[in-house]
């Protein structure tokens, strides 16, 4: 299947790198100086040839999409399959912008997609056939796991948990490093310890299927240091609730 990528920033270029060699990839992004090796730049997306065998991947910021819908309509008219990874923009809004097309899949990946370790949730529009789902399975395979959901109403929460989620873990590791420095460690050593602990804990959780609560208990000696630290973390549930609620609310607001 030929791919036309609209927007070649962080996520778009990560996906394009994964497709190289397996799918012919055209890129429309007037803002980037160079497109990824093995892909071809196009100047006017609406003139790209191809009908049902063309997949148009929407990877611009949601705020930019409004100015692009008109230019992409000819592709929808010719029956192209659309795959949107934009936060917030609902299938109904995408369909309206594309002149009523329902051959649209709305997906929410995350940045570990760049190394094939992402997780994406996707929901299909009304006119998406089984063959289209199979095409999306193939397109997203290089990015990691894919889970199909039936209820589009869940996408805002998905965005808030896994779409934005990598940033929360990075932020916590940054805070852990800062706390280590405040406790007297040289900042560079504190950051090294925090980062290695973060990636090591993630690798352990990946290698061991035990519930996370069990992995946590394995660290926590009764009456020991971890128990003392965890006792200070009671607010984490409310914090996580506020973080996810804020991100989900922002996702809903981006729909405009
Ligand atoms: N980053 C993430 O973790 C995730 C992002 N997403 C979604 O993916 C989409 C892209 O995000 P991300 O890759 O981070 O964003 P980027 O800003 O890195 O990428 C968007 C690209 O589109 C370019 N662009 C701007 N205007 C146009 C235009 N009119 N036509 C074509 N290209 C244009 C941008 O150029 P310029 O930078 O000069 O404006 C940039 O190169 C967003 O909708 C976001 O919601 C989804 C999941 C995770
Ligand atoms: O911050 C954002 O809006 C995008 C969507 C999910 C991750 N990044």
């Amino acid at each position: 299947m030929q791919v036309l990528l609209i927007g070649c920033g962080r996520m778009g270029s990560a996906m394009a790198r994964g497709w190289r060699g397996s799918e012919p990839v055209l890129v429309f992004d007037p803002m980037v100086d160079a497109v990824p090796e093995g892909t071809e730049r196009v100047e006017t997306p609406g003139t790209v040839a191809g009908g049902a065998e063309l997949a148009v991947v929407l990877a611009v910021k949601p705020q930019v999409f409004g100015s692009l819908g008109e230019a992409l309509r000819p592709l929808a008219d010719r029956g192209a399959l659309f795959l949107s990874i934009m936060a917030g923009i609902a299938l109904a809004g995408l369909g309206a912008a594309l002149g009523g097309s329902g051959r649209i899949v709305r997906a929410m990946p995350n940045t570990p997609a760049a190394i094939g370790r992402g997780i994406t949730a996707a929901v299909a529009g009304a006119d998406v056939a089984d063959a289209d789902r199979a095409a999306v399975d193939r397109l997203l395979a290089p990015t990691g796991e894919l889970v199909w959901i039936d209820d589009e109403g869940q996408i805002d929460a998905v965005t808030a948990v896994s779409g934005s989620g990598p940033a929360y873990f990075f932020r916590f590791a940054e805070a852990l490093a800062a706390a280590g420095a405040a406790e007297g460690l040289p900042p560079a050593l504190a950051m090294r310890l925090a980062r290695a602990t973060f990636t090591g804990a993630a690798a352990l959780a990946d290698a061991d299927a035990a519930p996370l609560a069990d992995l946590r208990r394995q660290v926590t000696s009764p009456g020991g240091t971890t128990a003392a630290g965890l006792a200070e973390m009671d607010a984490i549930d409310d914090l996580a609730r506020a973080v996810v609620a804020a991100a989900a609310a922002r996702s809903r607001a981006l729909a405009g």
Side-chain angles (χ1 to χ4, degrees), residues 49-148:
E53 286 304 305
L54 177 68
V56 182
V57 178
L58 303 172
V60 291
K61 295 279 190 224
Q63 296 89 337
V64 167
F65 177 66
S67 63
L68 276 172
E70 194 72 26
L72 299 176
R73 274 193 190 199
L75 302 171
D77 293 343
R78 290 202 294 277
L81 170 67
F82 284 80
L83 169 62
S84 168
I85 65 159
M86 296 181 292
I89 310 219
L91 286 169
L94 291 164
L98 296 170
S101 171
R103 200 168 170 233
I104 305 171
V105 171
R106 181 181 174 193
M108 179 45 56
N110 61 11
T111 54
I115 56 163
R117 293 300 310 270
I119 183 157
T120 299
V123 59
D127 302 333
V128 170
D130 287 348
D132 296 329
R133 284 178 186 253
V136 170
D137 286 343
R138 207 172 51 248
L139 283 177
L140 292 178
T143 69
E145 293 180 53
L146 170 61
V147 54
W148 287 95

Side-chain angles (χ1 to χ4, degrees), residues 157-211:
V158 164
T159 303
V161 172
S162 57
S164 297
Y168 312 149
F169 289 102
F170 298 137
R171 182 69 184 85
F172 186 77
E174 289 176 80
L176 187 61
E183 199 61 29
L185 293 174
L189 175 60
M191 179 55 81
R192 183 174 171 190
L193 294 172
R195 189 171 182 139
T197 301
F198 160 56
T199 56
L204 181 61
D206 188 41
D208 188 335

